[in-house]
Amino acid sequence: MNVSYQWLSEYVDVTGFTAEELAEKLTRSGIEVDIVEDRNQGVSNVVVGFVKKRDKHPDADKLSVCLVDVGTGEDLQIVCGAKNIDAGQKVPVAVVGAVLPGGLNIKRAKLRGVESQGMICSAKELGLNDKLLPKEIQEGILVLPEDTAVGASILDVLAINDKVLELDLTPNRSDCLSMLGAAYEIAAILGRDVKLPDAESALQASASGVKAGDRISVAITANEQCSHYAARLIEGVRVGTSPLWMQNRLMAAGVRPINNIVDITNFVMLEYGQPLHAFDADQLHNGHIDVRLAKAGEKLTTLDDVERTLEPHMLLVTDGTKPVAIAGVMGGANSEVTDGTTRILLESAKFAGSSVRRTSRQLGLRSEASLRFEKEVNPESVIPALNRAAALIAQYASGQVADGIVEAVSGTNKPVSIELAVDRVNGYLGTALSVNDIEAILKRLHFTFESARDDKLLVHVPSRRGDITRDVDLIEEVARLFGYDNIPTTLMTGVTTPGSLTKEQAIRRITRNVLTQSGLHEVITYAFTHPRANGQVEGDAAAIPGLYPEAKPIGLAMPMSEERSQLRTSLVPHLLEVVSYNRNRSMDDVAIFEIGKAFVTDEVALTKLPQEKLLLSIVLTGKRRGPHWASKSESVDFYDLKGIFDRLVQYLGVQGLSYTSAAPEGFHPGRTAELSLPGLGVIGRIGQLHPTVQQQRDLDDTYVLEVELTPILEAAGDAIVYKLLPRYPSIGRDIAVVVDAGVPVGSLEKAITEVAGELLESIQVFDIYTGERLGAGRKSVAIALVYRHAERTLQDEEVTELHAKVVAALEQQFGAELRK
């Protein structure tokens, strides 16, 4: 909200305080002022001049020689290049010695041999925002109204000697979305009165004698969405230009002037915070207004000349036969006020904020009016704002106001009264305020109250302050006006408990640390995805089904785009998009991970919320190590990814994780495994993407892991267990056995562990060999075993005996042969 200092001074006495001082006080009282903008961008010695004569320049077709009266008794000769300059105009004149924005100094000059004693200015040259100027004066020199006094300072005429406070309002302070609301706030801070506009006397002077109820009628069909609709009929209107002072006020607030009718409705909206709308009454069927919900498929062309298809939840203003406005959002082109309009139906209403908000967002229409309706306008401003606008239309558009207000009411505003205890105020604030102190603050806020027993007050909250509903809200008001700086500082007392992380939070943090320390980068991708990423596009060879290939797609009701139209069922597709994005920018070596949720359901039409699966996904591609003088570059492989995950699992203390060969769709059938935990079954998969998928996505060999984190969280140890360094020596034995190529190495390790029992400290595969010497379909596996007893020194004989049992078990279970 932009608040003009000059405009504000019409409602509250700000004598003795500069705009900057008011901004400081507002900020300290809880309403932040972002900036104080000076409308004067460096203009001085610019006055109003009267063009008495205009002649063509003798040596230039596009220049004019003007004789200008600037009120000094001596006419000035000024050469001007504007196309719209003409005799009889009143214009801004920068006399010799004047300064314009940008530090431009005006001096005597000769243009094509003709002396020029100043400069006739355009609005832009005066530093005005040309985007806010009426279209007819955006180009060429600025032509001022005929009644402008010659010789007057342009700073006063255009209200350039003004400053604007830009308020950064929180959502609860919608009362300050109006000049009167800001005036009440300033008055409370300064302890001064508020001067309200007087519309009644002007209305009496402009009354037409016609009864409004005889010519217009109002009805509310949608009672829940509209609680009050009021209208006035104004006849004999002349649509034209609004007065300059009003245009200045609108431009200071950031609103572009259009014509006197539209400008008046905008002016009153800024003044009261109550949006208004003017209909061409001759375009309404029998002068009737009906506020109802839209019909399915109903259409309306709005004032921006866009035809909009409406939905049944949208609130409309109709004339009984057709819609003429989207209530609280935008009017219809079929009832727009034009230059030929002579009869106006002026609307002022209380529309439900929730209805306007939903409609505005769905249609993508945001306006100053919808902003105020969304935040719930003051219900008691409906009639005053209507009367004020009618009076201004009568004054500045020659309108005759019909007697009476035609209105419909479907709900009433319940007054808010709150009991406020002095002890509760002081208890919250740590102050020692008396009843008189609090009463004085309430008076400054223009709140009425009644004294109650036991130092309590019954405070009646005005309807303009809809944010105050409880006593703590009143305590906040007392604190603001008393001054936050005046509240004493005290140490906190009471029982406190130290903060801590839950097990899940701690393990997720550990997981991130371990993975980043392993050289991976964390990424965060959208939870919304394209149907292709969920495997919903038939024939897409590059699709990755993820852990839940049977999951049904979950579409969004209002997707931002087709690319983000479904909830994801896997993290991998988006991680592969990140890989492609980096490869397209010559970043071929990518190691990334993401911890996030996938959404899974087996229902085609949702009747309950989907399951939210917490997943960890890792993607590796490119080089493990780049080129170096001492070694060759090496590409990542399956075991790099497995090693990273094994390190994480080991760090978390998860026991019993196993890998089983698998061939899921989208993965390399010989380089993929499923991950399992005892009692929980398959929790994830790890492997290389299928060559076809890699080719479709233009990827090198790419390795992917996706695993459910919840089972890992459950299996993880709660605490780190430290072990003493061993006191007794170990004995190592190596074994190399030849087995069928299809025998999993993990099965060999499991068999050895079961036979060796507690004496086996570690087991490590250090070589796997295949070749012609072993024969087709055979492989050699070399394993290093370490034996140790925790409480004594092992004897060589017992280790030899135990090792022999291990060899025998391998021979019996797998047909293993010792390699010689």
Side-chain angles (χ1 to χ4, degrees):
M1 176 67 186
N2 294 334
V3 176
S4 161
Y5 179 83
Q6 285 189 1
W7 193 0
L8 182 68
S9 65
E10 295 180 4
Y11 309 110
V12 61
D13 182 11
V14 293
T15 305
F17 297 93
T18 64
E20 289 76 11
E21 290 171 339
L22 290 182
E24 176 70 16
K25 289 183 176 295
L26 276 169
T27 300
R28 286 184 174 274
S29 68
I31 295 184
E32 184 178 358
V33 178
D34 281 345
I35 191 172
V36 178
E37 180 186 0
D38 193 339
R39 294 198 70 209
N40 187 347
Q41 300 297 310
V43 177
S44 65
N45 290 335
V46 179
V47 298
V48 177
F50 176 69
V51 182
K52 300 174 69 175
K53 184 179 179 183
R54 170 186 175 265
D55 295 319
K56 182 181 178 182
H57 192 288
D59 295 323
D61 293 338
K62 296 184 179 180
L63 297 179
S64 301
V65 180
C66 303
L67 193 64
V68 183
D69 175 13
V70 293
T72 61
E74 181 180 355
D75 295 338
L76 302 179
Q77 179 177 283
I78 299 176
V79 178
C80 179
K83 295 180 181 180
N84 63 329
I85 187 69
D86 204 355
Q89 294 175 337
K90 290 184 178 179
V91 293
V93 178
V95 299
V96 174
V99 179
L100 296 179
L104 177 62
N105 294 297
I106 303 303
K107 302 176 181 179
R108 289 178 181 268
K110 281 191 175 183
L111 300 176
R112 294 288 184 94
V114 177
E115 184 180 37
S116 182
Q117 300 171 316
M119 175 180 173
I120 300 175
C121 303
S122 67
K124 192 172 184 178
E125 288 166 337
L126 295 174
L128 299 178
N129 185 349
D130 59 339
K131 293 181 181 180
L132 297 178
L133 295 172
K135 293 181 180 179
E136 62 271 13
I137 61 173
Q138 287 185 6
E139 298 181 0
I141 55 99
L142 176 61
V143 180
L144 301 170
E146 295 179 359
D147 58 354
T148 309
V150 175
S153 171
I154 204 68
L155 298 180
D156 297 326
V157 172
L158 297 180
I160 298 177
N161 55 343
D162 189 15
K163 293 188 177 182
V164 177
L165 286 68
E166 185 178 330
L167 307 186
D168 186 4
L169 299 175
T170 52
N172 63 311
R173 290 307 305 270
S174 59
D175 59 297
C176 287
L177 284 171
S178 67
M179 292 302 301
L180 287 176
Y184 273 111
E185 187 67 21
I186 290 293
I189 294 171
L190 303 182
R192 298 180 179 179
D193 294 329
V194 176
K195 295 173 286 186
L196 298 176
D198 178 20
E200 295 299 329
S201 57
L203 280 176
Q204 294 174 1
S206 63
S208 64
V210 175
K211 290 185 178 181
D214 294 340
R215 300 190 179 182
I216 62 174
S217 58
V218 170
I220 298 176
T221 303
N223 294 326
E224 294 183 3
Q225 290 78 15
C226 178
S227 59
H228 190 184
Y229 192 99
R232 272 192 174 277
L233 178 65
I234 308 169
E235 299 178 305
V237 170
R238 296 179 183 175
V239 178
T241 304
S242 58
L244 188 58
W245 68 264
M246 184 176 291
Q247 294 185 39
N248 293 336
R249 294 285 185 260
L250 293 175
M251 287 190 288
V255 177
R256 182 170 64 89
I258 297 176
N259 60 48
N260 51 0
I261 304 302
V262 176
D263 291 354
I264 287 170
T265 58
N266 284 334
F267 176 84
V268 175
M269 177 187 68
L270 293 171
E271 186 176 47
Y272 280 85
Q274 170 64 48
L276 306 170
H277 187 69
F279 296 99
D280 186 330
D282 291 328
Q283 303 302 318
L284 303 177
H285 182 68
N286 294 330
H288 180 63
I289 289 291
D290 181 19
V291 183
R292 62 166 173 83
L293 294 176
K295 301 173 184 177
E298 198 166 11
K299 296 183 179 181
L300 173 65
T301 300
T302 47
L303 290 173
D304 56 359
D305 292 326
V306 176
E307 184 180 69
R308 303 186 184 276
T309 302
L310 310 172
E311 296 189 11
H313 67 81
M314 297 179 178
L315 187 64
L316 298 181
V317 179
T318 73
D319 65 357
T321 60
K322 64 182 183 296
V324 293
I326 303 173
V329 179
M330 185 175 285
N334 56 8
S335 59
E336 179 182 6
V337 172
T338 64
D339 292 342
T341 299
T342 59
R343 299 174 69 245
I344 286 176
L345 185 147
L346 187 63
E347 165 198 284
S348 182
K350 174 67 173 68
F351 300 124
S354 57
S355 174
V356 175
R357 182 184 304 109
R358 184 180 179 188
T359 300
S360 175
R361 289 184 178 180
Q362 187 165 345
L363 294 178
L365 280 174
R366 303 284 290 178
S367 64
E368 291 291 332
S370 66
L371 170 67
R372 286 162 174 80
F373 277 122
E374 287 176 16
K375 298 183 182 299
E376 300 293 352
V377 298
N378 178 8
E380 293 186 4
S381 291
V382 172
I383 299 302
L386 180 65
N387 289 336
R388 170 70 162 160
L392 290 173
I393 291 174
Q395 183 175 359
Y396 295 107
S398 304
Q400 297 294 312
V401 183
D403 293 342
I405 296 173
V406 179
E407 60 184 330
V409 179
S410 63
T412 58
N413 180 52
K414 296 181 180 180
V416 177
S417 296
I418 302 171
E419 188 175 78
L420 182 65
V422 176
D423 290 345
R424 188 166 167 83
V425 174
N426 290 324
Y428 265 87
L429 304 181
T431 54
L433 298 173
S434 66
V435 175
N436 292 335
D437 294 332
I438 296 174
E439 288 180 349
I441 290 174
L442 294 175
K443 289 178 181 178
R444 288 164 57 189
L445 287 164
H446 295 81
F447 289 6
T448 58
F449 55 87
E450 302 171 14
S451 297
R453 56 184 177 81
D454 300 329
D455 285 342
K456 292 182 180 179
L457 299 173
L458 184 62
V459 182
H460 306 296
V461 182
S463 60
R464 60 185 170 82
R465 292 301 304 273
D467 59 308
I468 299 178
T469 58
R470 302 174 299 166
D471 62 342
V472 288
D473 299 325
L474 286 173
I475 293 173
E476 181 182 0
E477 295 299 300
V478 172
R480 291 193 313 108
L481 272 296
F482 178 66
Y484 294 126
D485 293 342
N486 297 324
I487 296 176
T489 301
T490 56
L491 291 174
M492 293 177 61
T493 59
V495 178
T496 60
T497 55
S500 62
L501 299 177
T502 65
K503 180 182 177 182
E504 177 182 340
Q505 290 171 332
I507 292 178
R508 289 173 69 166
R509 180 173 295 183
I510 291 171
T511 300
R512 286 186 169 93
N513 290 338
V514 170
L515 295 179
T516 53
Q517 290 167 10
S518 299
L520 274 62
H521 296 277
E522 183 176 11
V523 299
I524 300 175
T525 63
Y526 279 100
F528 305 148
T529 191
H530 192 281
R532 183 185 305 109
N534 279 341
Q536 300 303 318
V537 177
E538 293 185 7
D540 188 352
I544 304 294
L547 280 179
Y548 315 104
E550 303 302 323
K552 304 302 181 184
I554 304 172
L556 301 180
M558 296 175 61
M560 61 179 77
S561 67
E562 186 182 5
E563 293 296 320
R564 302 283 180 254
S565 60
Q566 290 185 1
L567 290 174
R568 66 186 176 188
T569 58
S570 172
L571 310 187
V572 173
H574 284 179
L575 293 187
L576 295 180
E577 289 178 6
V578 174
V579 172
S580 297
Y581 182 89
N582 281 271
R583 284 175 57 83
N584 291 338
R585 287 154 182 79
S586 300
M587 297 289 293
D588 295 331
D589 306 333
V590 182
I592 56 176
F593 77 94
E594 180 176 11
I595 297 174
K597 290 184 177 180
F599 304 86
V600 180
T601 183
D602 58 0
E603 296 182 312
V604 176
L606 281 179
T607 60
K608 58 184 178 181
L609 292 176
Q611 298 181 61
E612 297 185 23
K613 300 286 189 177
L614 181 63
L615 302 180
L616 164 65
S617 292
I618 302 175
V619 175
L620 298 183
T621 188
K623 303 296 183 184
R624 175 194 310 126
R625 181 170 55 236
H628 189 267
W629 65 269
S631 61
K632 296 181 180 180
S633 61
E634 298 177 352
S635 298
V636 296
D637 59 22
F638 175 91
Y639 296 102
D640 289 300
L641 182 55
K642 180 178 181 296
I644 291 173
F645 187 66
D646 283 344
R647 178 171 182 253
L648 171 65
V649 169
Q650 183 180 10
Y651 195 93
L652 294 176
V654 176
Q655 302 292 329
L657 180 71
S658 62
Y659 296 81
T660 305
S661 178
E665 183 180 354
F667 285 83
H668 195 299
R671 301 176 184 176
T672 303
E674 291 181 338
L675 288 74
S676 304
L677 282 175
L680 297 175
V682 176
I683 64 168
R685 63 173 57 133
I686 178 174
Q688 181 183 340
L689 292 182
H690 195 283
T692 303
V693 175
Q694 292 178 166
Q695 183 179 8
Q696 290 285 339
R697 293 176 177 267
D698 193 24
L699 299 174
D700 292 335
D701 286 353
T702 301
Y703 298 89
V704 172
L705 175 140
E706 186 161 69
V707 62
E708 290 187 11
L709 264 185
T710 302
I712 294 177
L713 296 175
E714 295 173 354
D718 291 326
I720 297 175
V721 178
Y722 296 91
K723 293 182 179 180
L724 294 174
L725 291 174
R727 297 176 59 188
Y728 301 98
S730 64
I731 297 177
R733 292 285 191 272
D734 292 346
I735 183 174
V737 294
V738 178
V739 295
D740 290 340
V743 175
V745 173
S747 298
L748 299 177
E749 291 180 331
K750 182 179 180 181
I752 293 172
T753 302
E754 290 175 351
V755 173
E758 296 180 354
L759 294 184
L760 181 64
E761 182 178 75
S762 68
I763 179 172
Q764 179 68 44
V765 177
F766 64 88
D767 183 54
I768 297 178
Y769 170 75
T770 58
E772 295 180 359
R773 292 173 51 191
L774 298 178
R778 304 284 282 176
K779 66 181 176 181
S780 170
V781 181
I783 306 172
L785 308 178
V786 176
Y787 299 96
R788 189 196 305 270
H789 198 291
E791 298 179 353
R792 62 181 176 84
T793 300
L794 287 173
Q795 300 298 316
D796 190 66
E797 293 79 6
E798 63 179 314
V799 172
T800 301
E801 181 182 354
L802 180 59
H803 193 67
K805 292 181 180 179
V806 169
V807 174
L810 296 180
E811 292 174 346
Q812 182 179 358
Q813 294 183 34
F814 304 102
E817 299 176 1
L818 285 177
R819 185 179 176 191
K820 299 178 182 179

